[in-house]
Protein backbone atom coordinates (compact mmCIF):
# COMPACT_ATOMS: atom_id res chain seq x y z
CA UNK A 1 0.00 0.00 0.00
CA UNK A 2 1.11 3.54 -0.76
CA UNK A 3 -0.63 6.22 1.26
CA UNK A 4 -0.46 9.68 -0.33
CA UNK A 5 -3.59 11.17 1.28
CA UNK A 6 -2.12 12.74 4.40
CA UNK A 7 -4.03 16.04 4.14
CA UNK A 8 -7.17 13.95 4.75
CA UNK A 9 -5.68 12.21 7.74
CA UNK A 10 -2.41 10.67 8.91
CA UNK A 11 -1.52 7.40 10.65
CA UNK A 12 -1.05 7.92 14.38
CA UNK A 13 2.61 8.07 15.42
CA UNK A 14 3.43 4.68 17.01
CA UNK A 15 4.86 6.14 20.24
CA UNK A 16 1.83 8.42 20.55
CA UNK A 17 -0.46 5.40 20.04
CA UNK A 18 1.31 3.56 22.88
CA UNK A 19 0.83 6.54 25.19
CA UNK A 20 -2.83 6.77 24.19
CA UNK A 21 -3.37 3.11 25.04
CA UNK A 22 -1.74 3.65 28.45
CA UNK A 23 -4.02 6.56 29.30
CA UNK A 24 -7.07 4.59 28.14
CA UNK A 25 -6.36 1.40 30.06
CA UNK A 26 -4.16 2.38 33.05
CA UNK A 27 -4.28 6.14 33.68
CA UNK A 28 -7.97 6.52 32.92
CA UNK A 29 -9.12 8.72 35.83
CA UNK A 30 -11.26 11.76 35.16
CA UNK A 31 -8.87 14.76 35.32
CA UNK A 32 -11.65 16.74 37.02
CA UNK A 33 -11.95 14.28 39.96
CA UNK A 34 -10.50 15.53 43.24
CA UNK A 35 -8.93 12.21 44.37
CA UNK A 36 -5.21 11.66 43.87
CA UNK A 37 -5.71 9.43 40.78
CA UNK A 38 -7.66 12.27 39.12
CA UNK A 39 -5.10 14.87 40.22
CA UNK A 40 -2.24 12.82 38.69
CA UNK A 41 -4.09 12.62 35.34
CA UNK A 42 -4.94 16.34 35.53
CA UNK A 43 -1.23 17.12 35.99
CA UNK A 44 -0.40 15.05 32.91
CA UNK A 45 -3.14 16.79 30.92
CA UNK A 46 -1.73 20.18 31.95
CA UNK A 47 1.78 19.02 31.03
CA UNK A 48 0.47 18.24 27.52
CA UNK A 49 -1.16 21.69 27.33
CA UNK A 50 2.14 23.27 28.40
CA UNK A 51 4.13 21.32 25.81
CA UNK A 52 1.73 22.28 23.00
CA UNK A 53 1.70 25.92 24.12
CA UNK A 54 5.52 26.01 24.12
CA UNK A 55 5.64 24.63 20.57
CA UNK A 56 3.06 27.23 19.51
CA UNK A 57 4.86 29.97 21.53
CA UNK A 58 1.78 31.00 23.52
CA UNK A 59 0.62 30.73 27.13
CA UNK A 60 -0.85 27.41 28.37
CA UNK A 61 -3.95 29.37 29.49
CA UNK A 62 -4.53 30.38 25.87
CA UNK A 63 -4.88 26.75 24.70
CA UNK A 64 -8.24 24.90 24.83
CA UNK A 65 -8.98 21.35 23.73
CA UNK A 66 -11.96 20.45 21.53
CA UNK A 67 -12.99 17.37 19.53
CA UNK A 68 -11.69 18.45 16.10
CA UNK A 69 -10.74 21.53 14.11
CA UNK A 70 -14.31 21.84 12.83
CA UNK A 71 -15.42 22.30 16.45
CA UNK A 72 -12.63 24.83 17.13
CA UNK A 73 -13.66 26.77 14.00
CA UNK A 74 -17.36 26.71 14.92
CA UNK A 75 -16.60 27.78 18.48
CA UNK A 76 -14.46 30.69 17.34
CA UNK A 77 -16.64 31.98 14.50
CA UNK A 78 -19.96 31.62 16.34
CA UNK A 79 -18.57 32.52 19.77
CA UNK A 80 -16.81 35.68 18.58
CA UNK A 81 -19.90 36.75 16.61
CA UNK A 82 -22.19 36.41 19.64
CA UNK A 83 -19.79 37.98 22.14
CA UNK A 84 -19.11 41.01 19.95
CA UNK A 85 -22.48 41.75 18.41
CA UNK A 86 -22.44 45.27 19.82
CA UNK A 87 -19.34 45.97 17.69
CA UNK A 88 -20.64 44.85 14.31
CA UNK A 89 -22.21 42.19 12.10
CA UNK A 90 -19.58 41.77 9.38
CA UNK A 91 -17.10 38.91 8.85
CA UNK A 92 -14.47 38.61 6.10
CA UNK A 93 -13.06 35.38 4.72
CA UNK A 94 -11.69 34.04 1.43
CA UNK A 95 -13.35 32.02 -1.31
CA UNK A 96 -10.99 29.04 -0.82
CA UNK A 97 -11.58 28.26 2.85
CA UNK A 98 -12.38 24.75 4.09
CA UNK A 99 -16.08 23.84 4.31
CA UNK A 100 -15.82 24.02 8.14
CA UNK A 101 -15.40 27.79 7.74
CA UNK A 102 -17.56 28.35 4.63
CA UNK A 103 -20.61 26.43 5.84
CA UNK A 104 -20.45 27.95 9.32
CA UNK A 105 -20.44 31.40 7.73
CA UNK A 106 -23.29 30.45 5.36
CA UNK A 107 -25.30 29.54 8.44
CA UNK A 108 -24.51 32.89 10.06
CA UNK A 109 -25.49 34.68 6.83
CA UNK A 110 -28.96 33.14 7.15
CA UNK A 111 -29.08 34.79 10.57
CA UNK A 112 -28.27 38.30 9.43
CA UNK A 113 -24.46 38.37 9.49
CA UNK A 114 -22.81 39.98 6.47
CA UNK A 115 -20.00 37.86 5.03
CA UNK A 116 -17.47 39.07 2.44
CA UNK A 117 -15.63 36.40 0.43
CA UNK A 118 -12.28 37.76 -0.81
CA UNK A 119 -11.02 36.52 -4.18
CA UNK A 120 -7.71 34.77 -4.81
CA UNK A 121 -5.32 34.82 -7.77
CA UNK A 122 -4.41 31.84 -10.04
CA UNK A 123 -2.09 30.50 -7.32
CA UNK A 124 -4.70 30.76 -4.61
CA UNK A 125 -3.17 33.80 -2.90
CA UNK A 126 -5.64 36.21 -1.32
CA UNK A 127 -6.10 39.71 -2.81
CA UNK A 128 -4.69 41.95 -0.06
CA UNK A 129 -6.07 45.16 -1.53
CA UNK A 130 -9.59 43.73 -1.71
CA UNK A 131 -9.18 42.59 1.89
CA UNK A 132 -7.95 45.99 3.07
CA UNK A 133 -10.82 47.76 1.29
CA UNK A 134 -13.37 45.43 2.89
CA UNK A 135 -12.36 46.04 6.52
CA UNK A 136 -14.64 48.63 8.06
CA UNK A 137 -15.63 49.80 11.54
CA UNK A 138 -18.24 47.05 11.91
CA UNK A 139 -15.93 44.16 10.89
CA UNK A 140 -15.71 41.85 13.89
CA UNK A 141 -13.68 39.01 12.42
CA UNK A 142 -11.40 38.03 9.54
CA UNK A 143 -11.02 34.25 9.13
CA UNK A 144 -8.33 32.88 6.81
CA UNK A 145 -6.48 29.62 6.32
CA UNK A 146 -2.68 29.54 6.59
CA UNK A 147 -2.27 26.77 4.00
CA UNK A 148 -4.85 25.50 1.56
CA UNK A 149 -5.86 21.84 1.94
CA UNK A 150 -6.24 21.08 -1.79
CA UNK A 151 -3.36 22.92 -3.46
CA UNK A 152 -1.16 23.80 -0.48
CA UNK A 153 -0.79 27.56 -1.12
CA UNK A 154 0.56 29.49 1.87
CA UNK A 155 -1.34 32.73 2.51
CA UNK A 156 0.46 35.94 3.59
CA UNK A 157 -1.13 35.84 7.07
CA UNK A 158 1.58 37.96 8.72
CA UNK A 159 0.82 40.79 6.29
CA UNK A 160 -2.90 40.24 6.80
CA UNK A 161 -2.55 40.59 10.57
CA UNK A 162 -0.73 43.92 10.25
CA UNK A 163 -3.21 45.14 7.66
CA UNK A 164 -6.23 44.25 9.82
CA UNK A 165 -4.86 45.93 12.94
CA UNK A 166 -3.97 49.05 10.94
CA UNK A 167 -7.48 49.33 9.50
CA UNK A 168 -9.40 48.42 12.67
CA UNK A 169 -7.55 47.23 15.76
CA UNK A 170 -10.78 45.86 17.22
CA UNK A 171 -11.24 43.39 14.35
CA UNK A 172 -10.19 39.91 15.41
CA UNK A 173 -8.11 37.62 13.19
CA UNK A 174 -8.72 33.84 13.17
CA UNK A 175 -6.37 31.53 11.33
CA UNK A 176 -7.27 27.99 10.25
CA UNK A 177 -3.81 26.49 10.64
CA UNK A 178 -4.91 22.86 10.23
CA UNK A 179 -2.74 22.16 7.17
CA UNK A 180 0.24 24.23 8.31
CA UNK A 181 1.13 22.77 11.69
CA UNK A 182 3.72 20.01 11.32
CA UNK A 183 4.48 20.91 7.70
CA UNK A 184 6.22 24.29 7.97
CA UNK A 185 8.01 26.04 10.85
CA UNK A 186 4.92 27.33 12.51
CA UNK A 187 4.30 29.16 15.76
CA UNK A 188 2.02 31.95 16.85
CA UNK A 189 4.92 34.29 17.60
CA UNK A 190 5.59 34.31 13.86
CA UNK A 191 2.02 33.86 12.60
CA UNK A 192 0.25 36.47 14.72
CA UNK A 193 -3.50 36.18 15.26
CA UNK A 194 -6.21 36.43 17.93
CA UNK A 195 -7.63 32.92 17.43
CA UNK A 196 -6.35 29.76 15.75
CA UNK A 197 -7.63 26.24 14.98
CA UNK A 198 -5.64 23.00 14.70
CA UNK A 199 -6.41 19.31 14.27
CA UNK A 200 -4.37 16.46 15.80
CA UNK A 201 -5.16 13.86 13.13
CA UNK A 202 -3.40 15.95 10.48
CA UNK A 203 -0.01 15.67 12.22
CA UNK A 204 0.01 11.98 13.25
CA UNK A 205 -2.09 12.52 16.35
CA UNK A 206 -5.42 10.76 16.92
CA UNK A 207 -8.79 11.67 15.46
CA UNK A 208 -11.02 13.34 18.04
CA UNK A 209 -8.71 16.11 19.29
CA UNK A 210 -8.85 19.72 18.15
CA UNK A 211 -6.80 22.59 19.53
CA UNK A 212 -8.21 26.08 19.94
CA UNK A 213 -5.98 29.09 20.60
CA UNK A 214 -7.65 32.15 22.12
CA UNK A 215 -5.40 35.11 22.80
CA UNK A 216 -5.61 36.45 26.35
CA UNK A 217 -8.13 39.29 26.65
CA UNK A 218 -10.15 38.47 23.52
CA UNK A 219 -13.93 38.10 23.75
CA UNK A 220 -15.58 34.81 22.77
CA UNK A 221 -18.56 32.81 24.15
CA UNK A 222 -18.34 29.02 24.37
CA UNK A 223 -20.23 26.83 21.91
CA UNK A 224 -20.64 23.80 24.19
CA UNK A 225 -21.92 24.62 27.66
CA UNK A 226 -22.14 22.35 30.68
CA UNK A 227 -19.39 21.69 33.24
CA UNK A 228 -16.43 23.91 34.00
CA UNK A 229 -13.87 21.93 32.01
CA UNK A 230 -11.46 24.00 29.89
CA UNK A 231 -12.27 27.01 32.11
CA UNK A 232 -15.87 26.93 30.90
CA UNK A 233 -14.82 27.53 27.29
CA UNK A 234 -15.56 23.92 26.27
CA UNK A 235 -17.65 21.81 28.60
CA UNK A 236 -17.42 17.99 28.61
CA UNK A 237 -14.80 15.64 30.01
CA UNK A 238 -11.56 16.04 28.09
CA UNK A 239 -10.24 13.30 25.79
CA UNK A 240 -7.21 12.90 28.05
CA UNK A 241 -5.62 9.96 26.23
CA UNK A 242 -6.04 11.69 22.87
CA UNK A 243 -4.70 15.02 24.16
CA UNK A 244 -1.58 13.47 25.69
CA UNK A 245 -1.02 11.51 22.45
CA UNK A 246 -1.50 14.74 20.49
CA UNK A 247 1.22 16.48 22.50
CA UNK A 248 3.70 13.69 21.73
CA UNK A 249 2.65 13.47 18.07
CA UNK A 250 3.14 17.22 17.65
CA UNK A 251 6.58 17.03 19.20
CA UNK A 252 7.50 14.23 16.76
CA UNK A 253 6.08 16.19 13.81
CA UNK A 254 8.21 19.20 14.76
CA UNK A 255 11.28 16.92 14.98
CA UNK A 256 10.55 15.77 11.40
CA UNK A 257 10.21 19.30 10.00
CA UNK A 258 13.71 19.29 8.53
CA UNK A 259 12.88 16.09 6.64
CA UNK A 260 9.60 17.67 5.46
CA UNK A 261 11.42 20.75 4.15
CA UNK A 262 14.13 18.78 2.35
CA UNK A 263 13.39 15.15 1.37
CA UNK A 264 9.59 15.38 1.28
CA UNK A 265 9.70 18.62 -0.72
CA UNK A 266 12.14 16.98 -3.16
CA UNK A 267 9.80 13.99 -3.59
CA UNK A 268 6.85 16.36 -4.13
CA UNK A 269 8.84 18.34 -6.73
CA UNK A 270 9.97 15.09 -8.43
CA UNK A 271 6.31 14.09 -8.73
CA UNK A 272 5.40 17.53 -10.10
CA UNK A 273 8.15 17.35 -12.74
CA UNK A 274 7.10 13.88 -13.93
CA UNK A 275 3.40 14.69 -13.91
CA UNK A 276 4.05 17.76 -16.06
CA UNK A 277 6.00 15.60 -18.52
CA UNK A 278 2.94 13.33 -18.68
CA UNK A 279 0.65 16.25 -19.60
CA UNK A 280 -0.68 17.28 -16.19
CA UNK A 281 -1.26 20.89 -15.22
CA UNK A 282 0.16 21.66 -11.79
CA UNK A 283 -2.04 23.80 -9.53
CA UNK A 284 0.29 24.02 -6.52
CA UNK A 285 2.69 26.99 -6.50
CA UNK A 286 5.81 24.96 -5.73
CA UNK A 287 7.74 27.91 -4.28
CA UNK A 288 4.91 29.11 -2.00
CA UNK A 289 3.24 26.05 -0.56
CA UNK A 290 3.40 23.48 2.22
CA UNK A 291 6.06 21.01 1.04
CA UNK A 292 3.91 17.86 1.18
CA UNK A 293 1.05 18.89 -1.12
CA UNK A 294 0.59 18.63 -4.88
CA UNK A 295 -2.66 19.50 -6.63
CA UNK A 296 -2.88 18.81 -10.39
CA UNK A 297 -5.24 17.79 -13.18
CA UNK A 298 -5.10 16.20 -16.60
CA UNK A 299 -7.32 18.22 -18.97
CA UNK A 300 -10.40 16.15 -19.90
CA UNK A 301 -9.84 13.38 -17.34
CA UNK A 302 -12.04 13.34 -14.27
CA UNK A 303 -10.11 13.18 -11.00
CA UNK A 304 -12.19 10.33 -9.61
CA UNK A 305 -11.18 8.11 -12.55
CA UNK A 306 -7.52 8.56 -11.63
CA UNK A 307 -8.19 8.18 -7.89
CA UNK A 308 -10.15 4.95 -8.45
CA UNK A 309 -7.58 3.55 -10.91
CA UNK A 310 -4.77 4.15 -8.42
CA UNK A 311 -6.88 2.81 -5.57
CA UNK A 312 -7.22 -0.54 -7.39
CA UNK A 313 -3.41 -0.69 -7.36
CA UNK A 314 -3.31 0.07 -3.60
CA UNK A 315 -2.23 3.71 -4.02
CA UNK A 316 -4.32 6.25 -2.16
CA UNK A 317 -4.68 9.88 -3.26
CA UNK A 318 -7.79 12.05 -3.35
CA UNK A 319 -9.89 14.37 -5.49
CA UNK A 320 -11.16 17.33 -3.46
CA UNK A 321 -10.91 17.39 0.34
CA UNK A 322 -12.23 14.25 2.03
CA UNK A 323 -15.05 16.26 3.64
CA UNK A 324 -16.38 17.38 0.25
CA UNK A 325 -15.49 14.54 -2.15
CA UNK A 326 -18.52 12.39 -1.29
CA UNK A 327 -20.93 15.22 -2.17
CA UNK A 328 -19.32 16.59 -5.32
CA UNK A 329 -16.31 15.65 -7.41
CA UNK A 330 -15.98 19.28 -8.46
CA UNK A 331 -13.31 21.32 -6.70
CA UNK A 332 -14.74 24.56 -5.26
CA UNK A 333 -11.14 25.73 -4.90
CA UNK A 334 -10.38 25.23 -8.61
CA UNK A 335 -13.51 27.19 -9.51
CA UNK A 336 -12.21 30.03 -7.29
CA UNK A 337 -8.90 29.88 -9.17
CA UNK A 338 -10.86 30.54 -12.37
CA UNK A 339 -11.14 27.04 -13.89
CA UNK A 340 -14.33 25.93 -15.66
CA UNK A 341 -16.66 23.12 -14.48
CA UNK A 342 -14.97 20.41 -16.58
CA UNK A 343 -11.46 21.16 -15.37
CA UNK A 344 -12.73 21.59 -11.80
CA UNK A 345 -13.81 17.91 -11.90
CA UNK A 346 -10.23 16.95 -12.70
CA UNK A 347 -8.44 17.80 -9.46
CA UNK A 348 -6.17 15.14 -7.99
CA UNK A 349 -4.34 15.79 -4.73
CA UNK A 350 -1.24 14.02 -3.52
CA UNK A 351 -0.37 14.76 0.10
CA UNK A 352 2.74 13.22 1.63
CA UNK A 353 3.88 12.72 5.23
CA UNK A 354 7.25 12.17 6.87
CA UNK A 355 6.63 8.42 6.47
CA UNK A 356 6.76 8.53 2.63
CA UNK A 357 9.83 7.95 0.44
CA UNK A 358 11.10 8.35 -3.14
CA UNK A 359 10.61 4.69 -4.02
CA UNK A 360 6.87 5.08 -3.45
CA UNK A 361 6.85 8.15 -5.71
CA UNK A 362 8.53 6.14 -8.50
CA UNK A 363 5.94 3.36 -8.17
CA UNK A 364 3.20 5.99 -8.25
CA UNK A 365 4.48 7.50 -11.51
CA UNK A 366 4.72 4.08 -13.18
CA UNK A 367 1.22 3.08 -12.13
CA UNK A 368 -0.20 6.38 -13.32
CA UNK A 369 1.52 5.94 -16.70
CA UNK A 370 -0.26 2.55 -17.04
CA UNK A 371 -3.61 4.15 -16.21
CA UNK A 372 -3.09 6.94 -18.76
CA UNK A 373 -2.10 4.37 -21.41
CA UNK A 374 -5.24 2.41 -20.64
CA UNK A 375 -7.26 5.62 -21.09
CA UNK A 376 -5.44 6.29 -24.42
CA UNK A 377 -4.29 9.64 -23.02
N1 LIG B 1 -9.55 23.19 8.01
C1 LIG B 1 -8.79 22.66 7.05
C2 LIG B 1 -7.91 23.54 6.21
C3 LIG B 1 -8.80 21.28 6.83
O1 LIG B 1 -8.04 20.74 5.87
C4 LIG B 1 -9.64 20.46 7.65
C5 LIG B 1 -9.72 19.01 7.41
O2 LIG B 1 -9.51 18.53 6.32
C6 LIG B 1 -10.43 21.07 8.64
C7 LIG B 1 -10.34 22.44 8.78
C8 LIG B 1 -11.31 20.27 9.54
O3 LIG B 1 -10.55 19.46 10.41
P1 LIG B 1 -11.22 18.33 11.32
O4 LIG B 1 -11.26 17.09 10.50
O5 LIG B 1 -10.31 18.18 12.50
O6 LIG B 1 -12.56 18.81 11.72
Amino acid sequence: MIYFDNNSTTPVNKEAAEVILKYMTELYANPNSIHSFGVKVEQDLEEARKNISEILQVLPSEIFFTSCATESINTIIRGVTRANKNKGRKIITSSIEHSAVINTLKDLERNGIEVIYINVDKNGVIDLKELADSITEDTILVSLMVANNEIGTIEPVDEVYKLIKKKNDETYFHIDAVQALGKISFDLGKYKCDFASFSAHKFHGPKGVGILYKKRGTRMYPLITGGTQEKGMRAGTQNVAGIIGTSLALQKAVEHLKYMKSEIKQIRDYLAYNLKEMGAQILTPLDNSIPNTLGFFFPNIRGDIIVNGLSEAGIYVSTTSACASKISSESRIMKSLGYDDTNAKGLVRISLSYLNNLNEAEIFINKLKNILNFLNY
Side-chain angles (χ1 to χ4, degrees):
M1 167 177 112
I2 295 177
Y3 187 75
F4 280 176
D5 194 18
N6 290 281
N7 285 8
S8 295
T9 197
T10 51
V12 177
N13 173 278
K14 288 229 163 65
E15 286 170 67
E18 278 165 25
V19 165
I20 290 169
L21 182 64
K22 186 169 164 205
Y23 278 85
M24 289 181 110
T25 56
E26 293 173 37
L27 295 168
Y28 49 79
N30 190 323
N32 308 291
S33 295
I34 58 166
H35 49 65
S36 58
F37 191 18
V39 170
K40 150 82 182 130
V41 171
E42 187 196 17
Q43 281 166 352
D44 295 350
L45 173 67
E46 292 314 315
E47 197 50 46
R49 194 188 310 273
K50 187 164 166 272
N51 185 40
I52 292 170
S53 70
E54 276 169 11
I55 291 172
L56 293 176
Q57 302 262 310
V58 296
L59 299 168
S61 58
E62 294 174 314
I63 293 294
F64 300 87
F65 294 111
T66 65
S67 67
C68 58
T70 299
E71 189 195 319
S72 297
I73 290 166
N74 266 267
T75 306
I76 293 163
I77 293 180
R78 294 177 192 278
V80 164
T81 304
R82 282 191 298 126
N84 299 281
K85 61 172 180 263
N86 59 329
K87 285 194 192 153
R89 310 281 290 162
K90 182 166 152 190
I91 300 179
I92 300 173
T93 191
S94 87
S95 58
I96 61 161
E97 297 302 307
H98 188 268
S99 48
V101 169
I102 296 282
N103 289 336
T104 302
L105 290 173
K106 293 264 177 238
D107 187 43
L108 291 184
E109 271 183 303
R110 286 189 286 272
N111 290 293
I113 300 293
E114 183 193 356
V115 182
I116 310 270
Y117 300 88
I118 305 293
N119 290 307
V120 295
D121 68 13
K122 263 266 181 224
N123 287 327
V125 177
I126 186 164
D127 186 329
L128 287 174
K129 173 155 186 338
E130 201 184 316
L131 175 71
D133 291 346
S134 304
I135 300 167
T136 48
E137 222 181 37
D138 60 343
T139 306
I140 44 176
L141 182 69
V142 175
S143 181
L144 282 186
M145 56 185 10
V146 178
N148 183 264
N149 47 307
E150 290 188 8
I151 63 168
T153 305
I154 297 176
E155 299 297 332
V157 288
D158 46 348
E159 278 178 68
V160 170
Y161 180 82
K162 286 184 211 140
L163 196 148
I164 293 171
K165 299 297 167 183
K166 202 168 136 197
K167 287 281 295 205
N168 180 355
D169 67 359
E170 291 198 30
T171 301
Y172 287 141
F173 185 31
H174 163 235
I175 56 175
D176 169 354
V178 168
Q179 297 293 352
L181 191 57
K183 294 173 189 157
I184 52 174
S185 305
F186 182 92
D187 65 63
L188 297 171
K190 192 164 152 200
Y191 290 84
K192 289 202 167 44
C193 63
D194 301 295
F195 296 91
S197 305
F198 308 93
S199 182
H201 74 100
K202 308 287 185 180
F203 53 78
H204 303 276
K207 293 166 189 66
V209 179
I211 301 170
L212 186 161
Y213 162 74
K214 174 187 179 295
K215 192 198 263 178
R216 192 170 49 172
T218 51
R219 280 178 57 77
M220 177 188 88
Y221 290 156
L223 181 68
I224 296 180
T225 49
T228 55
Q229 296 94 345
E230 300 298 298
K231 295 200 247 64
M233 271 299 158
R234 201 283 187 177
T237 305
Q238 294 92 337
N239 175 359
V240 179
I243 292 166
I244 292 173
T246 295
S247 167
L248 183 56
L250 181 56
Q251 206 174 304
K252 296 284 168 195
V254 169
E255 283 165 22
H256 282 95
L257 271 180
K258 239 173 132 182
Y259 184 70
M260 248 307 162
K261 280 185 206 158
S262 52
E263 274 89 340
I264 293 299
K265 185 179 184 317
Q266 275 167 23
I267 296 170
R268 192 275 306 264
D269 292 353
Y270 162 87
L271 286 164
Y273 175 81
N274 280 279
L275 286 163
K276 243 188 189 148
E277 295 278 293
M278 291 153 71
Q281 288 195 29
I282 305 298
L283 296 164
T284 300
L286 299 181
D287 53 355
N288 177 38
S289 52
I290 40 176
N292 77 319
T293 302
L294 187 62
F296 62 93
F297 70 100
F298 287 96
N300 301 316
I301 305 188
R302 283 203 338 250
D304 58 342
I305 293 185
I306 291 179
V307 170
N308 288 329
L310 288 166
S311 169
E312 276 175 29
I315 300 175
Y316 303 115
V317 297
S318 63
T319 49
T320 60
S321 76
C323 312
S325 61
K326 287 225 164 102
I327 304 164
S328 162
S329 60
E330 198 173 276
S331 161
R332 180 170 49 77
I333 312 298
M334 273 184 78
K335 301 263 309 250
S336 293
L337 302 183
Y339 291 94
D340 64 16
D341 292 0
T342 313
N343 280 330
K345 287 200 173 84
L347 179 86
V348 181
R349 177 186 71 186
I350 294 173
S351 47
L352 309 170
S353 82
Y354 60 69
L355 297 171
N356 292 124
N357 58 53
L358 185 60
N359 184 34
E360 291 175 311
E362 285 164 357
I363 297 171
F364 170 91
I365 292 293
N366 287 332
K367 278 285 170 221
L368 188 56
K369 278 184 181 157
N370 293 345
I371 292 170
L372 294 178
N373 273 340
F374 181 74
L375 294 171
N376 287 326
Y377 194 78

